[in-house]
Amino acid sequence: MQTLIVHGRQPALGKAELESLYGADILRPAGDNASLLDIEPTSIDFMRLGGMVKFCKVLTILDTTKWDDIEKFLVNTTPQHFSVLPDGKLKIGLSVYGIKASPKRIQASALEIKKAGKTVGRSIRIVPNKGAAMNSAQVLHNKLTQKLGWELVFVRDGDKTILAQSIAVQDIDAYAARDQKRPYRDSRVGMLPPKLAQTIINLAGGKNETKTVLDPFCGTGVVMQEALLMGFSAHGTDLEPRMVEYSEKNLQWLKQTSRRPIAGWTVEQADATNYEWGGFDAIAGETYLGRPLSSLPDPNILNKIIQDCDTIHKKFLKNVARQTKPGLRMCIAVPAWKKKDGFAHLPTLEKLSELGYTRLSFEGANEQELIYHRPDQTVARELVVLIRK
Ligand SMILES: C[S@@+](CC[C@H](N)C(=O)[O-])C[C@H]1O[C@@H](n2cnc3c(N)ncnc32)[C@H](O)[C@@H]1O
């Protein structure tokens, strides 16, 4: 296993994403929030992995999970590596996952490394540990993945510790710009984070050869935007003319501002329950989530909302099934309503087989874990991956 990926707040989303793209056989979980992959780090396009926080090269596996032992190892071995690093002041940060060591203790070990560096004539700046692990902003803004930077990542894996070096971290600034600088946004249709849009597209595409991604509920165009940045063509439709206009204008903005080449796209007004789209290879999108809710309404009202959403989803899935061939793959983020004792799901999800679909399951993530939600949200997004039978 050569590559270590540290996932985000909901690790299962990232694990399912990796499984989709690379297959379960070259993947294994490492602790609760990381995955090991048996692929060369250089052959992975980490910029398109929405479920990744850190992307690391595995350096070695240590036969211990005791921080004292790990510190000894570091102090003994790091000086010999300093001599091969380029001249200049080095910046070092330590990130620890799943190992018993307080931020203060980790920081003290970093200072020991600094001392060891001095003995071989290296000047080192230590990035202070706010927590056990550096957050993305710290890694990014301290340039720890660049020439004079060094973030050492320690992940507990059973009775061993994986020691890795990060080579990329999620570009939170670029994600924020793609999200917030788009000229047309609408909080009523929900703000799909670009990272989640990437995960949805990766779950939809899998290992298939994809050229055109269709989003039948395109809204303001986040999925289309991310599909275009990933090198696909995009086709989007939405019932509301205003949304069609928003998507079109947002994508024009993307084309003007992006440094990456952008393929072609089409946005049209259409009802996803009866429209015939024509050529596309995968469907990725966030469907109709019902009206926004700040808290759980009265059960009768909630039932009505669920039924209304369900009718649209059932008709949409029937419409897609009648115009596609077996093997078509899609990932849709559909609503799930957070109740006191779990989630209320769309009833149609129980009838997928009758509608002509198989729901894909993942080794590294169960269905419940594929529900994206924040603590303050009533309407969550359940990621459903379907294959046309
Ligand atoms: C949750 S929003 C999608 C937001 C989108 N991901 C974005 O980037 O802004 C769902 C969208 O579905 C559209 N919609 C609702 N019913 C529809 C239908 N029957 N056919 C097509 N679009 C529909 C709404 O107008 C809305 O824009």
Side-chain angles (χ1 to χ4, degrees), residues 65 177 187 217 223 256 273 327 387-388:
T65 59
S187 56
F217 300 85
V223 173
Q256 280 155 18
T273 63
I387 310 277
R388 167 88 163 76

Side-chain angles (χ1 to χ4, degrees), residues 24-35:
D25 43 337
I26 55 160
L27 206 87
R28 82 171 179 80
D32 291 335
N33 53 357
S35 295

Side-chain angles (χ1 to χ4, degrees), residues 35-47:
S35 295
L36 279 168
L37 264 124
D38 206 1
I39 321 183
E40 278 254 11
T42 46
S43 60
I44 299 174
D45 182 3
F46 58 85
M47 294 286 280

Side-chain angles (χ1 to χ4, degrees), residues 182 189-190 192 215-223 237-240 243 270-273 286-289 312:
R182 293 182 307 135
V189 299
L192 183 72
D215 181 357
F217 300 85
C218 67
T220 63
V222 180
V223 173
T237 54
D238 199 285
L239 191 59
E240 266 200 55
M243 288 298 136
D271 185 341
T273 63
E286 179 192 31
T287 60
Y288 177 56
L289 303 180
I312 293 177

Side-chain angles (χ1 to χ4, degrees), residues 55 112 168 252 334 351 359 364:
F55 177 75
E112 289 303 315
Q252 293 290 355
V334 306
K351 305 202 176 74
R359 184 170 182 173

Side-chain angles (χ1 to χ4, degrees), residues 69-207:
D69 297 343
I70 296 171
E71 184 192 79
K72 263 185 222 138
F73 173 83
L74 286 175
V75 172
N76 286 336
T77 55
T78 40
Q80 75 207 45
H81 296 290
F82 292 143
S83 53
V84 293
L85 291 172
D87 286 344
K89 187 160 186 158
L90 294 173
K91 253 190 199 175
I92 294 185
L94 304 185
S95 284
V96 178
Y97 299 88
I99 297 164
K100 262 199 211 144
S102 68
K104 225 169 138 188
R105 179 74 189 83
I106 298 165
Q107 175 95 32
S109 304
L111 292 169
E112 289 303 315
I113 298 179
K114 182 178 167 126
K115 266 196 228 156
K118 244 190 189 158
T119 61
V120 289
R122 285 308 297 237
S123 139
I124 296 170
R125 216 203 101 203
I126 297 297
V127 180
N129 277 82
K130 291 182 187 163
M134 304 272 129
N135 61 36
S136 306
Q138 280 180 296
V139 180
L140 204 65
H141 300 151
N142 284 296
K143 302 191 172 118
L144 290 185
T145 55
Q146 296 188 20
K147 221 171 67 185
L148 287 168
W150 223 31
E151 184 198 17
L152 292 178
V153 176
F154 304 84
V155 173
R156 183 184 177 142
D157 184 24
D159 56 0
K160 300 196 188 316
T161 298
I162 302 163
L163 169 53
Q165 177 187 352
S166 62
I167 41 183
V169 69
Q170 60 173 348
D171 192 345
I172 42 169
D173 298 338
Y175 279 122
R178 297 214 297 268
D179 190 17
Q180 288 150 22
K181 290 200 178 146
R182 293 182 307 135
Y184 292 89
R185 306 171 79 223
D186 187 326
S187 56
R188 274 186 323 109
V189 299
M191 300 283 199
L192 183 72
K195 275 170 74 73
L196 185 58
Q198 285 185 320
T199 299
I200 293 172
I201 297 164
N202 286 327
L203 289 172
K207 289 185 185 175

